[in-house]
Amino acid sequence: MHKTLPLPPLTAIRVFEAVARHGSFTNAASELGMTQAAVSYQIKVLEDRIGAPLFLRRPRQIALTEVGQRLAPVVTQVFEQLSEAYVSARGGAQGTLVISTIATFASNWLARRLGSFQIAHPSLAVRLQTDPHLVDFSREEVDIGIRSGRGDWPGLVAHRLINADFAPMLSPGLAASIGGVKEPADLLRLPLLDPGDPWWARWFAAANVPVEGLASRPGASMGAQVYEGNAATAGQGVAILTPAFFAAELADGRLIQPFDLLCDDSQAYWLVYPESRRNSPKISAFRQWILGELGPSKR
Amino acid sequence: MHKTLPLPPLTAIRVFEAVARHGSFTNAASELGMTQAAVSYQIKVLEDRIGAPLFLRRPRQIALTEVGQRLAPVVTQVFEQLSEAYVSARGGAQGTLVISTIATFASNWLARRLGSFQIAHPSLAVRLQTDPHLVDFSREEVDIGIRSGRGDWPGLVAHRLINADFAPMLSPGLAASIGGVKEPADLLRLPLLDPGDPWWARWFAAANVPVEGLASRPGASMGAQVYEGNAATAGQGVAILTPAFFAAELADGRLIQPFDLLCDDSQAYWLVYPESRRNSPKISAFRQWILGELGPSKR
DNA sequence: TCTTATGCATTAAATGGCCTTATGTATGAT
DNA sequence: ATCATACATAAGGCCATTTAATGCATAAGA
């Protein structure tokens, strides 16, 4: 057990510092935003604790006693140090934004846009941390998380970013090679990328296209969408993809989505952070940025 | 107007320092003499103010976050400085005893005895300040005063030291030179020292001895007693003196007081100090010493 | 695997430190 | 002599702080 340091009443010391600096109870009170009576009280408290007067009460002014003169400079300096450390802690706490995200979102969405956030907030360092499990903000040093799920985490604020829905996509050239894709069954005349992905079976079922022979292996599709997207853009086949991850390709025509039919995994990607830090500047900044990014393109 | 420094909640900082040092809310609580719940609350307050967690809550232990790691050493150091200054102020306040006294008492009584006080309290420096007016403790840096008066000063504790009474004194040799002093009138056969002192007239009146011709000039007797006492001891005449100031001479026979008749000026010497500082160690020490000095010899 | 122990979080309620308002006192200025 | 200034004091209220009781999660042990 560590020896406890003998410390003066801190409230009183705070008041003493201001009084010593001003040489006046009244002026110190106005700086501290309290009444002169409160200052008088605190000084008395401190004088009682120290066992000696700190000020001489002269008619229209006060003067530090010897004891007060020895105490005042130390106290002033101590508060300066403390203030600096405090301000720096508040500031430093805002200097780095740690994002814990799952790899899929990082590579398919965040990677290409994060630059604009960093340009908008040049004083904020961003640390990306991809991690498959749901971060526990109370035991890991992470500011915000991006996770899939249902958005109902207790104690956390969750903003829905994008739905994890999916539809077939292919390059315009590949579609033209069979004279255009008119109906879902047409897709079966083209190579399917990762045909074992359970999303295929689900989508064709929703489209009322009976399909056999789609190997039913466990899909490693999550996180690999970016590769399949590249392959599809290159015209190598039809991929089943989440449109929000390929908004740019769909917009500029590198990929087309021939059917509006979207299937749903009943999953979504969420931005999450602790309720208690809702108003942290860096978290506000990121929230504002990411929701703005989603607004214009795909909502 | 000085710019107000931004400061953290000081109570919370105090708790934070202990927690950081112990690495435990529970242990810090016991050091601080409060409950673990209170510690938890204060840490939360500080974390809210700073806008970031200071500790990571891991299963059976906590760990400082980066923000906490930067804050903790500064805070610890700041409290060490503050504690040192505080202790030193409390101690320093007890290192010097400033006595404001009137010259008579200083020269006739204190001067010869103060040495024993300083020997008994070698760590206490004594500063004697002779000053004719009654010290105002609220505007002068004085610890104790010795003054004559009636002992009824509001806000001050007053201990009666000695009565300012008086009686004729002379050396045994001088008394023998006229065959001994048997009755008050015998004194008139000897030279009176400072015959103009009003004390003489008053004493002879009390002794029912009619006297004429005592020059009625304003007596400078107060403060001069020590000189008259020396002259009397040397056999140069009869002096009218305050017995308490010549206890040693009376005890060893250098002076005799032929008559018990004491006259009274209705004055006394008092030790005074502010009620609020009654328990200050140095004041207690002096009070105890001076009352002890009076006890054995003359009470 | 179940039980126990440890350590922090939370809630509601009690406490008292701290502040304010109102007023008093002393002194210097007009 | 009256007014203005600055600190002291008294009474009362409020809210920050604390406590007691309880919950929760995890690690250790049987």
Side-chain angles (χ1 to χ4, degrees):
Chain A
M1 168 89 33
H2 199 277
K3 180 164 167 292
T4 306
L5 288 174
L7 285 176
L10 297 177
T11 311
I13 283 285
R14 165 93 159 103
V15 172
F16 167 73
E17 194 275 338
V19 173
R21 199 154 26 74
H22 283 92
S24 154
F25 284 28
T26 305
N27 294 343
S30 86
E31 169 181 316
L32 296 169
M34 54 199 227
T35 59
Q36 171 268 320
V39 170
S40 180
Y41 169 82
Q42 292 295 347
I43 295 298
K44 175 174 293 245
V45 165
L46 188 55
E47 287 179 330
D48 285 350
R49 282 292 193 90
I50 288 189
L54 294 165
F55 297 96
L56 299 174
R57 276 69 168 181
R58 302 263 178 65
R60 316 263 297 195
Q61 70 179 33
I62 55 175
L64 283 163
T65 61
E66 286 180 23
V67 175
Q69 280 176 38
R70 261 181 281 118
L71 192 57
V74 179
V75 170
T76 295
Q77 191 204 330
V78 151
F79 277 127
E80 279 168 5
Q81 290 177 263
L82 188 59
S83 176
E84 184 192 321
Y86 174 59
V87 169
S88 146
R90 277 197 307 195
Q94 306 301 5
T96 301
L97 179 71
V98 181
I99 306 172
S100 172
T101 176
I102 52 183
T104 302
F105 192 86
S107 57
N108 289 23
W109 197 95
L110 207 47
R112 280 181 298 187
R113 308 176 205 237
L114 202 52
S116 85
F117 176 73
Q118 294 182 291
I119 287 168
H121 299 278
S123 62
L124 248 184
V126 174
R127 191 159 74 221
L128 257 187
Q129 182 174 306
T130 64
D131 189 337
H133 72 273
L134 177 58
V135 66
D136 180 339
F137 291 97
S138 74
R139 65 184 65 171
E140 286 168 65
E141 203 155 344
V142 166
D143 296 307
I144 61 176
I146 294 173
R147 284 293 178 278
S148 59
R150 292 182 47 221
D152 56 346
W153 295 284
L156 300 183
V157 178
H159 298 269
R160 180 192 294 267
L161 296 179
I162 60 176
N163 287 320
D165 45 21
F166 44 86
M169 298 186 197
L170 68 168
S171 71
L174 187 62
S177 72
I178 58 165
V181 175
K182 304 289 196 312
E183 54 185 57
D186 294 343
L187 294 172
L188 296 171
R189 296 157 53 197
L190 293 168
L192 299 188
L193 297 169
D194 193 7
D197 188 326
W199 282 6
W200 276 124
R202 189 187 265 252
W203 190 85
F204 279 122
N208 284 316
V209 176
V211 193
E212 297 294 331
L214 294 178
S216 197
R217 52 178 177 176
S221 67
M222 297 290 273
Q225 281 204 54
V226 69
Y227 303 115
E228 295 176 23
N230 287 340
T233 304
Q236 295 171 12
V238 187
I240 186 151
L241 301 172
T242 297
F245 285 162
F246 297 92
E249 286 84 350
L250 291 166
D252 66 19
R254 277 176 291 162
L255 282 181
I256 57 175
Q257 176 187 336
F259 309 104
D260 285 339
L261 176 64
L262 274 174
C263 279
D264 201 313
D265 220 351
S266 81
Q267 285 219 343
Y269 293 92
W270 302 81
L271 166 69
V272 297
Y273 48 83
E275 271 170 10
S276 59
R277 278 190 264 168
R278 173 185 291 123
N279 296 319
S280 166
K282 62 183 177 185
I283 289 177
S284 298
F286 189 83
R287 175 185 57 222
Q288 209 168 333
W289 170 78
I290 200 168
L291 296 180
E293 281 291 311
L294 291 166
S297 55
K298 168 87 181 161
R299 198 23 182 314
Chain B
M1 168 87 37
H2 201 279
K3 181 164 166 289
T4 307
L5 289 174
L7 286 175
L10 297 175
T11 311
I13 284 284
R14 166 94 161 103
V15 172
F16 167 74
E17 193 274 339
V19 173
R21 199 152 28 73
H22 283 93
S24 155
F25 284 30
T26 306
N27 293 344
S30 87
E31 169 181 314
L32 296 169
M34 52 199 235
T35 59
Q36 171 268 319
V39 170
S40 180
Y41 169 82
Q42 292 293 348
I43 295 298
K44 175 177 295 253
V45 165
L46 187 55
E47 288 179 328
D48 285 350
R49 281 294 193 88
I50 289 191
L54 294 166
F55 297 97
L56 299 174
R57 276 70 166 180
R58 301 262 177 64
R60 316 262 296 196
Q61 70 178 37
I62 56 174
L64 283 163
T65 61
E66 287 181 21
V67 175
Q69 280 175 38
R70 261 181 280 118
L71 191 57
V74 179
V75 170
T76 295
Q77 192 205 329
V78 151
F79 277 128
E80 279 168 4
Q81 291 178 265
L82 187 60
S83 176
E84 185 191 320
Y86 174 59
V87 169
S88 146
R90 278 196 307 197
Q94 307 302 0
T96 301
L97 179 71
V98 180
I99 306 172
S100 171
T101 176
I102 52 184
T104 303
F105 192 87
S107 56
N108 291 22
W109 197 96
L110 253 190
R112 281 182 298 192
R113 307 176 206 238
L114 202 52
S116 86
F117 176 73
Q118 294 183 292
I119 287 167
H121 299 278
S123 63
L124 248 183
V126 175
R127 190 160 75 222
L128 258 186
Q129 183 174 306
T130 63
D131 190 336
H133 71 274
L134 176 58
V135 67
D136 180 340
F137 291 98
S138 73
R139 63 184 66 171
E140 285 168 65
E141 204 157 344
V142 166
D143 296 307
I144 59 177
I146 295 173
R147 285 292 177 280
S148 58
R150 293 181 47 218
D152 54 347
W153 294 284
L156 300 183
V157 179
H159 299 269
R160 180 191 294 267
L161 297 178
I162 59 177
N163 288 320
D165 46 20
F166 44 88
M169 299 187 197
L170 69 168
S171 69
L174 186 63
S177 73
I178 58 166
V181 174
K182 304 290 195 311
E183 53 187 58
D186 294 344
L187 293 172
L188 295 172
R189 298 160 53 198
L190 294 168
L192 299 188
L193 297 168
D194 193 8
D197 188 325
W199 283 7
W200 276 124
R202 189 187 268 249
W203 189 85
F204 280 121
N208 283 316
V209 175
V211 193
E212 297 295 332
L214 294 177
S216 199
R217 51 177 179 178
S221 67
M222 296 290 274
Q225 281 205 52
V226 69
Y227 303 115
E228 296 176 23
N230 287 340
T233 304
Q236 297 171 8
V238 188
I240 186 149
L241 302 171
T242 298
F245 286 162
F246 297 91
E249 286 83 350
L250 290 167
D252 66 17
R254 277 177 290 159
L255 282 180
I256 58 175
Q257 177 187 336
F259 310 104
D260 286 337
L261 175 64
L262 274 175
C263 278
D264 201 314
D265 222 351
S266 79
Q267 285 220 342
Y269 293 91
W270 301 82
L271 166 68
V272 297
Y273 47 83
E275 271 171 11
S276 60
R277 280 189 263 169
R278 173 185 288 121
N279 296 318
S280 165
K282 63 183 176 184
I283 289 177
S284 297
F286 189 83
R287 175 184 58 220
Q288 209 170 334
W289 170 80
I290 200 168
L291 295 181
E293 282 290 311
L294 292 167
S297 54
K298 169 89 182 158
R299 205 2 162 353

